[in-house]
Amino acid sequence: MKNPSNRRHFIKRTTLSSLGALLGAEIVYALPEGYLPLALSQEKDPATPFGKHEEMVVLNDQPWNVEAQAHLLDDVVTPADKMFIRNNGIIPENIAVDKWTLTIKGESSRQEKTYSLEELKAKFSQHSYHLVLECGGNGRSEFYPPADGNQWTVGAVSCAKWTGIRLRDVLQDVGIQDNAVYIGYYGADTHLSRDPNKNPISRGIPISKAMEDQTLLAFAMNDRDIPIAHGHPLRLIASGFPASVSGKWIHTLAVRDRVHDGEKMAPPSYAVPCEPVEPGTNVANENMCTIDKMPVKSLITYPKSGAILRENQKLNIRGHAWTGSQNISKMAYSIDFGATWQSCNLRPAVNPYAWQQFEAEIDFPQKGYYEVWAKATDNEGNSQPMLPPGWNPKGYLNNACHRIAIKVS
Ligand SMILES: Nc1nc2c(c(=O)[nH]1)N[C@H]1C(S)=C(S)[C@@H](COP(=O)(O)O)O[C@H]1N2
Ligand SMILES: [Mo]
């Protein structure tokens, strides 16, 4: 939480020591400092924000930034209550759905055109896909020297079922000019300063990404209205890129003849050094490149880190793997800190940009402490490093292998 009081620090420490009792299980790993599960918050205001699961972790409440823990992400389709929230500004209030409109304009749009939500739903064919959204800063907490910003651990990722119309179909209906290079979004959230002339964030996607089948203007998530925190009533979804391009509460799209220049579009936002740098380097903005595709990554979602087994008991692990490229081709695990790797069973993706499920049955050679590490490889041959790769000033793109602690006693 932001500026935690001493009192809260004290409460946190004492409650954490009884975490094992609370969860009804022994734990090997304690939670890192500054990591406050909703269940342990003594100041639940409001009760459980946005109806989130009580083990979701609040990293900031001004604006709201809430992450999952690995074991909460076990479902193939992430339910709303276990989906991370990342906000740059203040969530819009009193949304009048029947009056909501989407306007397409910009230098490279053939016309300015406004649609009501009903028109969009009636006029264009609807499509549903399972789509991963991962914050570009997921994993930031592992970089050293540390980077400012929300200290996401592993839980700023989700894969929900999104339903909407294709952005491509709408752009074709409006008509875009040959010199169009980028689509910029504008959402209805308010800047933290409450200055109505400032946008909290206004990013976007290159035209090639806008034209993909899976790039949606979504109005439903998991077969219901999109929850307010996640962009109700209309949201751009462009999976495979950092989730910051998937604008929430969208009312306007600009068809640009240049790279969009909205808030948090230019480096250092969502950008990394174009050439690798040594940790701690100050990098000039002109030497930073905007992130496009997200890297290959995976998460062990069962069991929860800290599980304790009996001797000779086999362990079934499972989780998900995903990539900003096409798909995952190989999934492996190690119980000897990467000395040897064994393959996992891997399921195909239900559609491009959906995460893929893996599982394995593990035999431990003797009693003791183990770490199970998981490593995904995608169709382009990219795989995950065991350490946080490519230090960068803003702490983006940490796709290091996930690991869990296991005790065989
Ligand atoms: N309008 C608007 N869209 C936004 C944001 C925002 O603050 N305002 N945050 C972005 C970022 S940085 C991320 S990671 C995702 C988070 O989506 P979620 O909160 O639905 O998980 O939304 C993106 N879209
Ligand atoms: Mo993000």
Side-chain angles (χ1 to χ4, degrees):
M1 305 284 274
K2 218 174 183 183
N3 307 324
S5 64
N6 288 336
R7 194 178 108 83
R8 193 184 270 168
H9 267 308
F10 171 73
I11 290 167
K12 216 186 325 179
R13 233 176 285 125
T14 51
T15 46
L16 279 182
S17 63
S18 58
L19 180 64
L22 191 99
L23 299 178
E26 279 186 79
I27 53 160
V28 175
Y29 269 175
L31 288 167
E33 175 120 32
Y35 205 76
L36 187 58
L38 289 176
L40 303 185
S41 168
Q42 301 293 301
E43 296 166 39
K44 280 195 192 172
D45 48 335
T48 304
F50 312 106
K52 291 290 165 185
H53 189 279
E54 62 171 15
E55 287 179 70
M56 293 290 283
V57 176
V58 177
L59 299 183
N60 194 342
D61 54 7
Q62 288 170 351
W64 283 104
N65 286 288
V66 179
E67 81 167 324
Q69 304 184 51
H71 70 278
L72 297 177
L73 293 171
D74 196 36
D75 301 85
V76 172
V77 176
T78 311
D81 69 331
K82 295 170 182 164
M83 180 180 263
F84 80 99
I85 303 176
R86 162 66 173 134
N87 288 323
N88 292 265
I90 302 162
I91 296 178
E93 277 168 30
N94 307 319
I95 290 172
V97 184
D98 19 309
K99 296 212 182 78
W100 194 272
T101 57
L102 175 71
T103 298
I104 317 284
K105 56 185 191 182
E107 311 84 6
S108 295
S109 182
R110 292 202 185 275
Q111 56 175 322
E112 181 173 323
K113 191 162 178 177
T114 297
Y115 302 88
S116 69
L117 264 186
E118 267 156 65
E119 275 175 292
L120 289 175
K121 289 183 192 175
K123 184 159 188 177
F124 303 101
S125 65
Q126 303 189 6
H127 303 269
S128 295
Y129 299 105
H130 295 187
L131 297 168
V132 169
L133 288 183
E134 183 179 17
C135 181
N138 195 23
R140 175 177 291 135
S141 64
E142 284 186 54
F143 281 110
Y144 191 83
D148 285 346
N150 290 298
Q151 294 301 300
W152 305 110
T153 65
V154 296
V157 61
S158 64
C159 184
K161 176 186 173 190
W162 293 95
T163 301
I165 56 178
R166 291 193 172 124
L167 175 57
R168 182 179 66 211
D169 291 346
V170 179
L171 294 177
Q172 276 164 1
D173 189 58
V174 174
I176 65 172
Q177 309 198 23
D178 291 344
N179 65 352
V181 299
Y182 230 86
I183 304 295
Y185 70 72
Y186 294 90
D189 43 344
T190 306
H191 194 268
L192 286 178
S193 65
R194 296 194 181 266
D195 180 342
N197 300 313
K198 286 188 180 164
N199 289 312
I201 187 167
S202 170
R203 304 198 72 237
I205 45 176
I207 288 292
S208 56
K209 186 72 183 168
M211 293 297 161
E212 287 184 2
D213 286 357
Q214 296 80 20
T215 299
L216 299 179
L217 286 165
F219 40 76
M221 190 187 98
N222 298 345
D223 300 315
R224 311 179 70 154
D225 282 352
I226 301 174
I228 177 72
H230 298 291
H232 175 75
L234 191 66
R235 156 166 219 183
L236 180 61
I237 298 282
S239 179
F241 273 42
S244 54
V245 307
S246 292
K248 303 193 271 192
W249 314 291
I250 294 300
H251 58 74
T252 302
L253 293 175
V255 186
R256 306 299 312 268
D257 65 357
R258 66 204 73 176
V259 173
H260 183 54
D261 49 8
E263 191 62 34
K264 302 202 176 176
M265 227 5 266
S269 294
Y270 303 101
V272 293
C274 304
E275 292 171 3
V277 299
E278 64 222 72
T281 305
N282 266 322
V283 185
N285 288 345
E286 65 261 30
N287 295 328
M288 302 271 273
C289 289
T290 297
I291 299 163
D292 47 24
K293 267 192 322 186
M294 291 291 285
V296 59
K297 204 162 168 179
S298 61
L299 201 56
I300 304 167
T301 59
Y302 183 88
K304 185 176 171 174
S305 187
I308 296 175
L309 305 183
R310 281 171 283 110
E311 203 176 356
N312 299 322
Q313 190 183 349
K314 289 185 200 304
L315 175 68
N316 288 295
I317 61 160
R318 60 173 182 259
H320 318 286
W322 64 97
T323 170
S325 301
Q326 269 167 31
N327 51 51
I328 302 296
S329 50
K330 207 165 68 187
M331 190 69 214
Y333 75 87
S334 176
I335 57 168
D336 54 14
F337 299 91
T340 61
W341 294 89
Q342 274 69 44
S343 62
C344 303
N345 294 320
L346 176 67
R347 270 200 256 157
V350 293
N351 55 253
Y353 307 119
W355 61 20
Q356 292 173 233
Q357 284 57 57
F358 66 83
E359 49 161 26
E361 188 183 74
I362 305 180
D363 257 329
F364 293 93
Q366 61 174 97
K367 287 196 303 191
Y369 172 80
Y370 294 87
E371 291 183 9
V372 180
W373 292 64
K375 181 168 75 167
T377 304
D378 72 17
N379 60 300
E380 294 177 359
N382 305 307
S383 71
Q384 297 181 254
M386 290 184 66
L387 297 174
W391 184 93
N392 61 92
K394 302 272 278 178
Y396 297 122
L397 303 186
N398 175 10
N399 69 333
C401 292
H402 182 228
R403 56 184 170 147
I404 57 169
I406 297 292
K407 208 162 173 184
V408 182
S409 57

